[in-house]
Amino acid sequence: MFVKTIALWCFLVTVKGKVRRFPDTLSFGVATASYQIEGGWNASDKGEHIFDHLAHTTNKMVDNGDVACDSYNQHERDVEMLKELGVDFYRFSISWSRILPEGFSHNLSQDGIAYYNSLINDLIDANITPSITLYHWDLPQNLQDMGGWRNPLMVDYFADFAEVAFKTFGDRVKTWITFNEPWVVCVLAPIWFSVSPAKSLNGIDEYICGHNLIKAHAKAYRIYDRIYRSAQRGRVGWTLSSSWHEPITQSAADIKAAERTLQFNLGWFAHPVFSREGDYPQVMKDVIAQKSLQQGYPRSRLPEFTTEEIAQIRGTCDFFGLNHYTTNLVRMQTNASKEPSYFDDQFTEILQDPTWLSSASPWLKVVPWGFRNLLNWIRKNYNNPETMVFENGFSDSGNTYDIDRISYHNQYLNVLLDAVEDGCKVSAYAVWSLMDNLEWLEGYNDRFGLYYVDFNDPRRPRTPKASALYFKSILETRIIERDLKNSRLF
Ligand SMILES: *[C@@H]1O[C@H](CO)[C@@H](O)[C@H](O)[C@H]1NC(C)=O
Ligand SMILES: *[C@@H]1O[C@H](CO)[C@@H](O)[C@H](O)[C@H]1NC(C)=O
Ligand SMILES: *[C@@H]1O[C@H](CO)[C@@H](O)[C@H](O)[C@H]1NC(C)=O
């Protein structure tokens, strides 16, 4: 029935001519992450990672990923779904402790490596490009016990892990994403992990984590450059998350506050790599230094890069990876706190418009125009880099006739085309996610998938939703309706 509906709908829009064509330079894919789909948490010699630990030793998670979508045992079915959709690429992540059980590169799991080899080979056979995220948050617990991203030696441990991946899979994998959403790793993770191993230090930990993570990324990139690039001819980058931040009024203070929020969210990681001068954004350096002194610290809570480090970090991305979902409103907030905190350093208040349509996730409102603004902000601030959208998606609480998800992607893809017409060089778009999966602390309640997964059935059967057929039709025709309201589906 859905297939028929879509055929009719394509016919209707073709007749009406209200369609837009995607440029040939844009490739389409879907994304997942290891802990959210794999299961097999103790398969063979896989080591424990921080989410295994959190799930098994605290009640912070409403569900765990012990089985998840069971992709560890069912990756053939995953590849079949990717073929059904007709995607150009599949973005997935490697679980560090599945290939290096103890976190260090002296001990490789042959079974872990065999799992990813099999997935990669199946993708290549299906003519689907594998795009690998090295770090999608599941840090080996051993390394967390040594301080996690607080520990400056993480730079070397991550680079060792990256090198194992380049060496083992790089003959077939040509797109590498070192980190998924550094902002989440450094700002949210200390909140998630406040139980272990030590209490988190607000306004200090976040910046130490960012500092080490940026250096770890740059080190992995330089290793690829020096040792692997000439033979493997792949590309390395990372993917940054950012909402658009819109000033709540057009007052100078609110406009500055919105810009400052963007710099603290996106600029924090983008500026050191993509700007001409490198290093952290000036506004972060100024504000954090000033607040730190006011609070009685002898120096800024934001660590400094050396001149040599700034040069080593600058330019270490072959593309600008972006994860984008929603928009916030920003108001300048004047009352300062005595307690240091990453949020207080921004002195802003973040809100959303109550009239914006909501998803099942309270933070995710449907605001397509913010996506266009953000893509143009990146174009203007970083000399129009090639931009690859590695996540964009909508959550609901479960229904295979998912009209709201179709509407979300229709609107965001139209805006992506607007941004391309504005001059933004967008070369990839990935839907989050291939299938419903473990939404971290929210468990299995917030569903983002194009495929519905029945988590009550031990076999974890997957069923295409209407949005899967919608996405498939876009990939086949490479056209999109300007406005879905005229279509027969609505
Ligand atoms: C793996 O974990 C499951 C629970 O998820 C447990 O039932 C099983 O015994 C464990 N297997 C091994 C080999 O420890
Ligand atoms: C590798 O790690 C696994 C899992 O922790 C352990 O069982 C095994 O003994 C280790 N092997 C070596 C050679 O260290
Ligand atoms: C600052 O003001 C806002 C809005 O009036 C209030 O919600 C917040 O708690 C205040 N923060 C501090 C640190 O006093």
Side-chain angles (χ1 to χ4, degrees):
M1 174 202 142
F2 294 145
V3 175
K4 243 164 92 186
T5 312
I6 282 171
L8 175 62
W9 174 22
C10 291
F11 171 72
L12 282 175
V13 296
T14 311
V15 171
K16 285 193 186 153
K18 286 185 178 168
V19 295
R20 309 173 78 184
R21 184 165 293 281
F22 289 104
D24 295 337
T25 47
L26 183 73
S27 63
F28 288 100
V30 291
T32 62
S34 47
Y35 185 59
Q36 292 176 278
I37 66 162
E38 282 178 1
W41 81 275
N42 57 1
S44 181
D45 52 354
K46 175 180 164 294
E48 188 189 36
H49 59 59
I50 55 179
F51 284 96
D52 295 326
H53 191 76
L54 193 71
H56 297 152
T57 62
T58 75
N59 56 9
K60 288 210 157 200
M61 299 182 64
V62 300
D63 276 304
N64 66 49
D66 288 358
V67 180
C69 303
D70 194 31
S71 288
Y72 184 70
N73 298 305
Q74 299 198 43
H75 74 273
E76 283 95 349
R77 172 63 182 133
D78 295 349
V79 174
E80 202 176 278
M81 285 145 60
L82 296 162
K83 289 202 279 198
E84 286 166 12
L85 290 171
V87 293
D88 302 311
F89 68 94
Y90 177 42
R91 175 182 168 225
F92 61 97
S93 78
I94 289 182
S95 182
W96 187 334
S97 63
R98 193 180 293 292
I99 68 168
L100 306 181
E102 296 167 288
F104 303 105
S105 63
H106 70 300
N107 182 358
L108 272 57
S109 164
Q110 293 313 320
D111 286 349
I113 288 171
Y115 170 69
Y116 294 111
N117 268 333
S118 171
L119 173 58
I120 291 165
N121 293 341
D122 287 356
L123 290 169
I124 303 272
D125 289 346
N127 203 20
I128 296 168
T129 303
S131 302
I132 290 190
T133 314
L134 290 171
Y135 186 77
H136 204 125
W137 308 351
D138 41 2
L139 184 69
Q141 183 62 33
N142 271 348
L143 301 181
Q144 179 73 12
D145 292 342
M146 295 170 64
W149 289 106
R150 271 180 180 166
N151 182 349
L153 289 175
M154 279 297 298
V155 175
D156 298 325
Y157 303 147
F158 176 78
D160 294 342
F161 163 53
E163 184 157 11
V164 169
F166 298 152
K167 197 186 296 176
T168 312
F169 308 118
D171 56 331
R172 290 150 292 153
V173 175
K174 307 301 169 192
T175 308
W176 294 101
I177 298 157
T178 55
F179 286 95
N180 180 68
E181 304 186 349
W183 184 90
V184 173
V185 174
C186 294
V187 175
L188 294 187
I191 300 170
W192 296 350
F193 297 110
S194 51
V195 282
S196 77
K199 97 176 204 287
S200 79
L201 297 170
N202 289 338
I204 295 178
D205 271 346
E206 295 91 338
Y207 302 127
I208 296 175
C209 169
H211 207 67
N212 292 332
L213 191 151
I214 291 167
K215 288 202 258 186
H217 160 80
K219 182 159 186 178
Y221 182 96
R222 296 291 173 203
I223 288 172
Y224 191 81
D225 242 11
R226 209 171 53 242
I227 306 173
Y228 299 96
R229 187 185 293 278
S230 62
Q232 298 187 353
R233 306 199 167 278
R235 303 201 307 160
V236 182
W238 59 10
T239 191
L240 305 180
S241 54
S242 187
S243 302
W244 172 247
H245 296 276
E246 178 75 9
I248 193 161
T249 72
Q250 287 304 303
S251 74
D254 288 343
I255 290 173
K256 262 178 94 173
E259 174 68 17
R260 193 165 58 243
T261 308
L262 277 164
Q263 293 293 356
F264 267 80
N265 280 265
L266 188 55
W268 180 7
F269 297 98
H271 198 274
V273 171
F274 292 99
S275 70
R276 194 164 312 152
E277 63 275 20
D279 202 356
Y280 293 118
Q282 193 63 44
V283 65
M284 280 186 83
K285 291 197 287 186
D286 292 348
V287 169
I288 300 166
Q290 191 195 349
K291 287 220 171 203
S292 302
L293 296 181
Q294 280 168 4
Q295 288 157 342
Y297 290 88
R299 68 188 76 82
S300 180
R301 287 177 276 106
L302 180 68
E304 277 179 28
F305 291 122
T306 64
T307 311
E308 195 194 335
E309 285 167 348
I310 290 172
Q312 279 298 306
I313 292 162
R314 209 175 45 207
T316 53
C317 272
D318 301 320
F319 49 79
F320 194 113
L322 176 69
N323 295 0
H324 175 77
Y325 290 87
T326 195
T327 284
N328 294 322
L329 299 173
V330 183
R331 173 183 289 144
M332 150 91 170
Q333 202 196 81
T334 47
N335 54 351
S337 154
K338 276 250 173 287
E339 294 298 311
S341 101
Y342 165 80
F343 291 101
D344 177 68
D345 286 341
Q346 298 171 60
F347 56 109
T348 54
E349 190 184 352
I350 306 290
L351 311 121
Q352 286 180 318
D353 185 330
T355 66
W356 289 341
L357 183 74
S358 195
S359 67
S361 313
W363 54 272
L364 202 177
K365 310 284 192 246
V366 184
V367 196
W369 53 262
F371 189 26
R372 181 179 187 172
N373 289 355
L374 182 64
L375 288 167
N376 276 296
W377 190 90
I378 292 167
R379 173 172 66 82
K380 287 176 196 153
N381 276 272
Y382 305 118
N383 192 27
N384 202 5
E386 178 189 339
T387 302
M388 302 179 87
V389 178
F390 280 127
E391 284 184 28
N392 178 239
F394 179 88
S395 66
D396 59 26
S397 34
N399 185 341
T400 54
Y401 196 61
D402 53 341
I403 296 303
D404 289 340
R405 178 169 295 103
I406 292 177
S407 171
Y408 178 95
H409 286 291
N410 173 271
Q411 293 181 68
Y412 276 73
L413 279 167
N414 264 294
V415 159
L416 182 148
L417 279 174
D418 293 338
V420 169
E421 286 168 10
D422 296 337
C424 300
K425 289 195 289 197
V426 186
S427 66
Y429 177 86
V431 171
W432 183 271
S433 178
L434 170 61
M435 61 190 146
D436 297 336
N437 56 49
L438 180 74
E439 182 54 16
W440 308 105
L441 303 197
E442 315 309 323
Y444 296 102
N445 299 321
D446 291 9
R447 292 173 178 264
F448 281 85
L450 297 176
Y451 281 71
Y452 182 89
V453 178
D454 182 354
F455 293 103
N456 295 318
D457 185 324
R459 293 170 302 122
R460 299 295 191 270
R462 296 109 153 88
T463 312
K465 302 180 188 178
S467 59
L469 299 170
Y470 175 68
F471 195 52
K472 177 184 172 68
S473 81
I474 288 177
L475 300 193
E476 268 168 16
T477 59
R478 296 192 67 86
I479 56 172
I480 187 167
E481 284 183 295
R482 213 176 255 283
D483 185 359
L484 273 184
K485 289 195 194 80
N486 300 326
S487 92
R488 289 295 294 262
L489 261 181
F490 284 76

